[in-house]
Amino acid sequence: MSVSLGSVIWSSVKPIIKIYLIIGTGFMLSKFDIITVQSTKAISDIILTVLLPCLSFNKIVSNIEDKDIKDVGIICLSSVLIFGTGLFFAYVVRRTMPVPKQWRGGILAGGMFPNISDLPIAYLQTLAQGFIFTPEEGDKGVANVIIFLAMFLICVFNLGGFRLIEMDFNYNDEENATINESTTDIQSNDKEITEFEKQKNGFSKLTTSDNEKSKKSESSDISSLPSTAVVDQSLSIPRSGSIHPGNELVGNESVISSIISNPSIVLSTSDESSTSNFSYKGKSNNADKVTTPVLKTQSQPVAYTSSVASIQEKVKRRPRSKSTSSQYTMNELIKQYSKVDQYGNPIDKNDASSVTGPHHDINGVEVQPTRQSNLTRILTSDATVSKHDIESSGSSLPKWLRKFPLTPLIVFFIKNCFRPCSAAVIIALTCAFIPWVKALFVTTDTTPHIRQAPDQQPALSFIMDFTGYVGAASVPFGLILLGATLGRLKIGSLYPGFWKSACVLVVLRQCVMPIFGVLWCDRLVKAGWLNWENDKLLLFVIAINWSLPTMTTIIYFTASYTPADMPNPIQMECVSFFLMIQYPLLVVSLPFLVTYFLKVQIKV
């Protein structure tokens, strides 16, 4: 069947329209602060740990057979060529054009690793609606894309491709450390919180007579206040100690939640407190130096009741700091994803003991912080690996094994194979290549006939139902998060001449590399490995993967290696500009490639 050129052009443009509508939705949701930085990270982890593995397992088991082993090998070889060609172009640009020395590794990663996941899958699913490709061919094309994705994960994580990004960061040492007010306040208040815990334990041992004296003293303090007394608006509850503009009450969540849940609890301060700290009234003479609020539960004057109501209202509203325009700025992205301090030491934000150790809640009950193992962190997040994870891999092995230089690398490689998506691809390919195992999940012309369930379906068909239903949400969510990420980026002052380097590399990636992709497909056919009649969909998938923009994960990797208090994040500025200029060009480059490939190569 011959298709007119106009129909082919429309078929190649239509998927782009759908993709950009979804990306635009995510962009607007981030601008309206519906998708925050925290929710972006949470949804991204859900996609990586649940949605994408389900999609991978479902499509591979359903559409890959034992006779497709050769196709899997061709996909792996094509992946190596795509990554190698991108790396070569990036290296040429780095050597011949102005690139800041702080992003000499990042530009290599940006040229090497494309966005092989949501974009090609969404494109294929729209294109394969019966006009150009059938839905069955589209499903098999999605399975091929997922194998490309598995190769991408192996190169980025297992083989340490992320180190290209990490090597750009030269962290401070003790001599040239940057000391700022916020860091100093955090450190001093952490010490004060620890001192308060010690003093509170001593205070709990006071005798009954001391308690009575304390109550009388508190009553006299209350009665001496004027009827219009209000809580000083400069007060803030220190979590890490900094005072936020806009009268923002943040931190010390246990104290705040107690204020909200119990209106009779009141914060007490002294007029001579010029440091905007709370005071703790106890038996110790130094107690009033501790920056933790005094909590009173006795009946209070009307002025105090209204003051507490005003505090509760401020806690609920939580206005943003005036120092940032909105929560979706690039600085907030760095703060959320940053995993290192200015010295390059890893910071585990899930490990509360790294700051204050075991602590007590408002009632004095000791709360043990929850710890997240390194393996769990690696498996459930996308941009949390670093060279420290490589160095610490295999530390639990016997000494005679650890003495071999390759032991940490091998252990790190194996650990990353347990990432949900990688594990799902490995398990799915194993099931797909063993016919009688595949017959437990699906029934095809090539699977052996085995006894069916009472509904005349394979015994494990419910797993396919589950993975298909859940995995369908992976691509839409991924594109929405892509738009939310782009909406959170901003371009600052660029390195002189860097815009030329970035533009040249983008043109090489999205205009020149597709030419190499078409030539590679033609070579595969001439070598007899594939043919245009039976393998046209695989050839099409290989071709479009040569024209994809840079991986979005490069943003999260760069943010995770950037210290939160870094004054001038050059790496984030470079990667933001480099990523943002690619998607306008993609509107033209990808449909042009698809139109040419369908009309000239496949001859639809």
Side-chain angles (χ1 to χ4, degrees):
M1 179 185 70
S2 178
V3 182
S4 64
L5 178 62
S7 299
V8 173
I9 294 175
W10 169 247
S11 298
S12 63
V13 172
K14 183 180 177 181
I16 286 289
I17 298 175
K18 182 185 79 170
I19 290 171
Y20 274 74
L21 284 176
I22 301 176
I23 292 175
T25 301
F27 186 92
M28 295 304 299
L29 290 176
S30 70
K31 289 299 183 182
F32 286 108
D33 207 14
I34 297 175
I35 297 183
T36 63
V37 180
Q38 293 81 4
S39 60
T40 297
K41 190 173 187 303
I43 297 174
S44 177
D45 291 342
I46 292 174
I47 293 175
L48 288 173
T49 56
V50 180
L51 303 184
L52 192 54
C54 286
L55 179 68
S56 303
F57 184 87
N58 184 274
K59 297 301 182 181
I60 289 178
V61 173
S62 300
N63 300 281
I64 300 296
E65 300 175 352
D66 54 348
K67 66 180 182 180
D68 296 323
I69 294 180
K70 180 190 70 174
D71 295 347
V72 174
I74 292 175
I75 290 174
C76 294
L77 178 59
S78 301
S79 300
V80 173
L81 290 178
I82 293 173
F83 301 156
T85 305
L87 178 64
F88 172 75
F89 283 147
Y91 180 77
V92 171
V93 170
R94 193 185 78 170
R95 293 282 296 180
T96 59
M97 302 192 70
V99 176
K101 63 179 181 180
Q102 295 91 340
W103 204 59
R104 296 179 68 84
I107 194 172
L108 296 180
M112 183 177 183
F113 299 117
N115 186 7
I116 302 181
S117 58
D118 309 317
L119 282 176
I121 292 176
Y123 199 94
L124 279 171
Q125 288 178 336
T126 306
L127 194 62
Q129 295 180 353
F131 187 66
I132 301 296
F133 298 114
T134 65
E136 292 76 15
E137 289 177 326
D139 289 339
K140 187 164 186 176
V142 171
N144 293 330
V145 172
I146 291 172
I147 298 174
F148 270 107
L149 174 61
M151 285 297 298
F152 165 82
L153 294 176
I154 290 174
C155 292
V156 173
F157 295 101
N158 300 56
L159 298 179
F162 62 87
R163 290 285 291 127
L164 291 173
I165 305 171
E166 188 181 14
M167 65 188 294
D168 287 331
F169 293 87
N170 295 320
Y171 300 105
N172 295 327
D173 53 24
E174 295 293 340
E175 295 181 356
N176 61 358
T178 301
I179 301 177
N180 53 45
E181 264 183 52
S182 60
T183 305
T184 305
D185 290 342
I186 289 172
Q187 293 173 349
S188 62
N189 280 280
D190 287 342
K191 294 178 180 179
E192 290 172 345
I193 291 172
T194 305
E195 182 184 353
F196 165 67
E197 296 292 344
K198 296 178 181 179
Q199 293 184 5
K200 188 172 69 171
N201 291 336
F203 178 72
S204 62
K205 299 178 182 179
L206 290 175
T207 60
T208 305
S209 60
D210 290 334
N211 288 333
E212 291 297 330
K213 292 178 182 179
S214 178
K215 291 180 180 179
K216 292 179 181 179
S217 176
E218 292 170 355
S219 299
S220 64
D221 289 343
I222 295 172
S223 62
S224 64
L225 290 172
S227 59
T228 59
V230 295
V231 177
D232 187 356
Q233 291 187 355
S234 66
L235 297 176
S236 64
I237 300 175
R239 169 188 57 134
S240 295
S242 58
I243 299 175
H244 296 252
N247 301 329
E248 184 178 12
L249 294 177
V250 296
N252 208 334
E253 303 296 341
S254 60
V255 176
I256 291 177
S257 60
S258 299
I259 295 174
I260 296 175
S261 60
N262 190 355
S264 65
I265 295 179
V266 183
L267 302 175
S268 174
T269 65
S270 58
D271 292 337
E272 63 267 24
S273 176
S274 60
T275 59
S276 299
N277 289 333
F278 291 102
S279 63
Y280 173 81
K281 296 183 180 180
K283 191 171 181 178
S284 172
N285 294 331
N286 297 325
D288 56 351
K289 296 181 181 178
V290 182
T291 58
T292 305
V294 174
L295 303 179
K296 300 179 182 180
T297 55
Q298 295 133 4
S299 60
Q300 306 290 1
V302 176
Y304 266 78
T305 306
S306 61
S307 300
V308 173
S310 119
I311 292 175
Q312 293 174 351
E313 183 63 23
K314 288 179 181 180
V315 171
K316 292 177 182 178
R317 284 183 292 146
R318 281 177 173 261
R320 286 195 188 93
S321 170
K322 295 180 182 178
S323 61
T324 56
S325 58
S326 61
Q327 190 175 3
Y328 45 78
T329 60
M330 189 167 63
N331 289 335
E332 289 296 327
L333 186 68
I334 294 175
K335 291 178 182 178
Q336 179 65 27
Y337 279 88
S338 179
K339 297 296 181 182
V340 295
D341 58 17
Q342 62 174 317
Y343 305 107
N345 299 321
I347 299 175
D348 187 1
K349 295 182 180 180
N350 294 309
D351 184 7
S353 64
S354 63
V355 180
T356 59
H359 57 282
H360 297 77
D361 64 8
I362 194 64
N363 298 317
V365 179
E366 184 173 316
V367 178
Q368 293 294 337
T370 58
R371 298 184 62 90
Q372 187 181 45
S373 68
N374 288 335
L375 181 60
T376 303
R377 173 176 52 80
I378 291 175
L379 298 186
T380 58
S381 299
D382 54 350
T384 57
V385 290
S386 65
K387 66 176 182 179
H388 299 285
D389 297 305
I390 299 177
E391 295 168 354
S392 61
S393 295
S395 57
S396 59
L397 295 176
K399 290 184 178 180
W400 65 272
L401 277 177
R402 295 202 304 268
K403 68 180 182 180
F404 294 104
L406 294 180
T407 297
L409 300 177
I410 295 174
V411 174
F412 182 77
F413 183 93
I414 295 174
K415 284 199 304 186
N416 278 275
C417 288
F418 289 98
R419 286 180 175 272
C421 189
S422 300
V425 171
I426 294 173
I427 296 173
L429 287 175
T430 303
C431 295
F433 290 155
I434 304 176
W436 63 268
V437 175
K438 180 175 180 176
L440 294 173
F441 296 93
V442 294
T443 300
T444 64
D445 296 336
T446 59
T447 55
H449 178 73
I450 61 175
R451 186 174 181 179
Q452 304 292 306
D455 59 352
Q456 299 305 310
Q457 296 293 322
L460 300 181
S461 61
F462 64 90
I463 295 180
M464 301 301 293
D465 294 339
F466 165 75
T467 54
Y469 192 76
V470 174
S474 174
V475 175
F477 269 112
L479 293 176
I480 288 175
L481 289 184
L482 172 59
T485 302
L486 294 177
R488 208 166 280 121
L489 302 179
K490 66 177 182 179
I491 301 174
S493 57
L494 294 175
Y495 182 81
F498 173 71
W499 69 271
K500 300 176 184 178
S501 306
C503 291
V504 168
L505 182 55
V506 168
V507 171
L508 289 174
R509 277 199 55 83
Q510 296 184 240
C511 298
V512 177
M513 279 186 60
I515 299 176
F516 285 82
V518 173
L519 294 176
W520 170 244
C521 292
D522 189 63
R523 184 59 189 167
L524 289 173
V525 174
K526 289 181 178 179
W529 291 7
L530 300 174
N531 61 79
W532 294 111
E533 290 75 22
N534 300 324
D535 303 307
K536 61 180 181 180
L537 186 67
L538 176 58
L539 291 166
F540 178 80
V541 170
I542 293 174
I544 64 174
N545 278 308
W546 282 81
S547 65
L548 296 176
T550 300
M551 63 174 180
T552 314
T553 316
I554 192 174
I555 285 288
Y556 304 127
F557 272 119
T558 306
S560 68
Y561 302 137
T562 304
D565 54 356
M566 189 174 183
N568 186 23
I570 298 177
Q571 295 86 354
M572 285 296 294
E573 293 171 355
C574 291
V575 72
S576 299
F577 177 78
F578 179 66
L579 194 64
M580 291 177 70
I581 63 175
Q582 296 187 46
Y583 284 91
L585 181 59
L586 184 68
V587 177
V588 178
S589 62
L590 186 57
F592 184 87
L593 169 66
V594 171
T595 301
Y596 172 83
F597 199 83
L598 291 177
K599 206 56 189 162
V600 177
Q601 298 297 116
I602 300 181
K603 296 180 173 59
V604 294

